[in-house]
Amino acid sequence: MINEEIKLDYDDILIVPQQSPVASRKLVDLTIERRFSHRSVTYRGVPIMAANMDGVGTMEMADALRKHGIFTCLTKFHSTEKLISFFSSDSKRSQYCAMTIGIGDDDWQRFATVDSSLGSDLTYACLDVANGYTDRFVKCVETFRSLYQDKVLIAGNVVTPEQTSRLLDAGADIVKVGIGGGSVCETRLKTGIGYPQFSAVLECADAAHSMGGKIVADGGCTRPGDVAKALAAGADFVMLGGMLAGHPEGGGSPVDRYFQSREVGHDGEPIMDKRQFVEFYGMSSKTANEKHFGGLKDYRSSEGRTVMLPLRPSLSDTIHDLLGGLRSACSYVGAEKLENLKDKAQFVRCTHTHNRIFEELSDSLHNRG
Ligand code: 5GP
């Protein structure tokens, strides 16, 4: 069976500007409140989450992002000792950070150890698997919920309303939506599986909201405008990997690379420019499997890429650009608060090619400058 309805990615749409009472973007309030049915927790902050990926979901990143009111899902690969010390030394951290686990026995054990050492003070948990469609995963969400009733549970990933509802029924509070659209993801290439992300967000958000649940749009944002589109489509949060990678807070070791510049030295030879790069890789890549699991198992293929990103020295500059873009998007549609962006936004379909050509042009001009 083929679903012939058109499904869209972020590049396939734009948000239409409208008459706006917002005099200046600096007046736009980006802080939102999210309440979770049946949990006594309210999130107050910017609805952005750093992904639980190496180079992004680090403790240093979490502390830096918290200053901007941004949430972090820590990677699965922090030791119990480090997690206990991280969360116990500053009680505010548990309001802006989730401990992430998989669905193995050792994951449950680690979560129980950390949470009980903190006197049950962990507020958020992220139950993360590549494929949120297995019966085993749904059971795990149920088990988690029966063990921990007060925690806010982020669980996924899925891309369809039916499975979003199933995970919410099983006890998730925030469903992670996105398969195959990540910047260093190869699932679409290796398996043919996926779903255009903008449509996935629209459809899953509708399903979740009709049940009082929430979603986080996970993956595929490459520009601040994509984050605005995801929130305008109804995402309660947006998760970012690549857009936050490449900063010192991500913990990678910079590598020097030399490039021939356009300038020529006294000796007539071209001057070499030094630029620094950091490695960034998908959590299902060969690199991640080698780092954390002693290599790729013989029944798996690598479903992630490894890339070298130019080192971005200032996380604050990146966040400034991101939040500035969101403020501006709100002012274009007349939303005084980010909270109101979804209600105000209307979309227009455009050609993917137009958007891509525009981005490539703007990139090449930027790099030239
Ligand atoms: P990004 O913001 O970089 O576009 O996407 C981040 C998301 O990509 C992550 O939160 C996660 O859901 C997904 N992801 C991370 N690593 C991999 C990988 O190796 N393979 C796949 N299929 N998805 C990945």
Side-chain angles (χ1 to χ4, degrees), residues 95-111:
Q95 295 168 27
Y96 286 94
C97 287
M99 174 171 168
T100 304
I101 51 171
I103 56 173
D105 291 344
D106 53 331
D107 288 296
W108 294 102
Q109 192 49 55
R110 268 170 12 90
F111 190 84

Side-chain angles (χ1 to χ4, degrees), residues 6-14 196-199 226 229 347-353 355-356:
I6 290 177
K7 303 291 175 187
L8 306 166
D9 260 315
Y10 294 129
D11 276 351
D12 299 317
I13 58 108
L14 288 166
Q197 183 68 357
F198 179 77
S199 292
D226 295 336
K229 290 174 186 178
F347 302 102
V348 60
R349 255 185 80 198
C350 59
T351 60
H352 180 100
T353 338
N355 256 346
R356 272 287 159 223

Side-chain angles (χ1 to χ4, degrees), residues 10-329:
Y10 294 129
D11 276 351
D12 299 317
I13 58 108
L14 288 166
I15 304 170
V16 183
Q18 293 171 53
Q19 185 173 0
S20 168
V22 186
S24 159
R25 68 191 71 179
K26 76 169 181 263
L27 303 173
V28 173
D29 183 2
L30 295 183
T31 302
I32 52 88
E33 270 195 12
R34 299 272 182 257
R35 289 172 214 281
F36 306 98
S37 358
H38 314 304
R39 259 36 91 200
S40 56
V41 175
T42 303
Y43 175 78
R44 278 186 200 85
V46 178
I48 292 175
M49 295 180 166
N52 49 289
M53 298 175 72
D54 289 355
V56 182
T58 63
M59 292 175 174
E60 295 71 18
M61 184 69 89
D63 278 343
L65 291 178
R66 183 161 64 97
K67 295 189 186 128
H68 300 274
I70 294 176
F71 193 92
T72 298
C73 288
L74 296 170
T75 73
K76 293 174 189 165
F77 305 105
H78 293 98
S79 67
T80 46
E81 296 71 30
K82 275 191 99 177
L83 286 163
I84 293 166
S85 129
F86 176 75
F87 282 108
S88 62
S89 52
D90 182 345
S91 61
K92 282 228 149 136
R93 284 175 170 152
S94 69
Q95 295 168 27
Y96 286 94
C97 287
M99 174 171 168
T100 304
I101 51 171
I103 56 173
D105 291 344
D106 53 331
D107 288 296
W108 294 102
Q109 192 49 55
R110 268 170 12 90
F111 190 84
T113 307
V114 173
D115 193 47
S116 64
S117 306
L118 297 170
S120 302
D121 256 3
L122 280 178
T123 309
Y124 295 89
C126 176
L127 196 56
D128 174 76
V129 294
N131 174 5
Y133 283 80
T134 62
D135 295 340
R136 180 176 173 212
F137 183 65
V138 180
K139 271 250 157 318
C140 281
V141 172
E142 280 168 4
T143 308
F144 184 93
R145 182 50 69 212
S146 66
L147 291 171
Y148 303 103
Q149 316 215 330
D150 269 354
K151 314 272 181 230
V152 174
L153 178 61
I154 307 161
N157 283 31
V158 302
V159 281
T160 50
E162 298 74 21
Q163 198 67 6
T164 299
S165 306
R166 232 165 262 143
L167 294 184
L168 290 169
D169 264 341
D173 298 291
I174 307 173
V175 175
K176 273 174 102 209
V177 173
I179 294 181
S183 59
V184 281
C185 162
E186 289 196 321
T187 295
R188 290 183 186 175
L189 303 179
K190 292 287 171 78
T191 68
I193 300 286
Y195 203 97
Q197 183 68 357
F198 179 77
S199 292
V201 171
L202 268 181
E203 293 167 20
C204 296
D206 262 4
H209 297 163
S210 71
M211 302 170 64
K214 311 253 179 297
I215 67 150
V216 51
D218 176 19
C221 290
T222 58
R223 307 286 161 125
D226 295 336
V227 180
K229 290 174 186 178
L231 292 167
D236 302 282
F237 295 90
V238 181
M239 181 170 275
L240 303 177
M243 278 183 69
L244 297 175
H247 295 97
E249 290 81 352
S253 316
V255 174
D256 295 342
R257 292 220 175 137
Y258 292 88
F259 296 86
Q260 204 170 305
S261 78
R262 292 202 191 141
E263 286 164 43
V264 178
H266 295 305
D267 55 3
E269 292 295 315
I271 293 175
M272 301 303 279
D273 273 346
K274 182 173 97 173
R275 292 193 217 150
Q276 291 195 297
F277 289 79
V278 275
E279 193 178 56
F280 178 53
Y281 46 86
M283 299 312 290
S284 300
S285 64
K286 187 162 177 263
T287 309
N289 275 282
E290 279 167 355
K291 188 157 184 207
H292 299 299
F293 303 109
L296 262 180
K297 304 267 183 309
D298 56 8
Y299 57 88
R300 295 185 71 121
S301 68
S302 156
E303 283 182 33
R305 259 191 293 274
T306 301
V307 296
M308 297 304 287
L309 297 179
L311 178 71
R312 295 194 278 174
S314 168
L315 180 64
S316 293
D317 284 356
T318 303
I319 299 302
H320 187 82
D321 192 48
L322 172 58
L323 301 188
L326 287 182
R327 275 193 200 94
S328 186

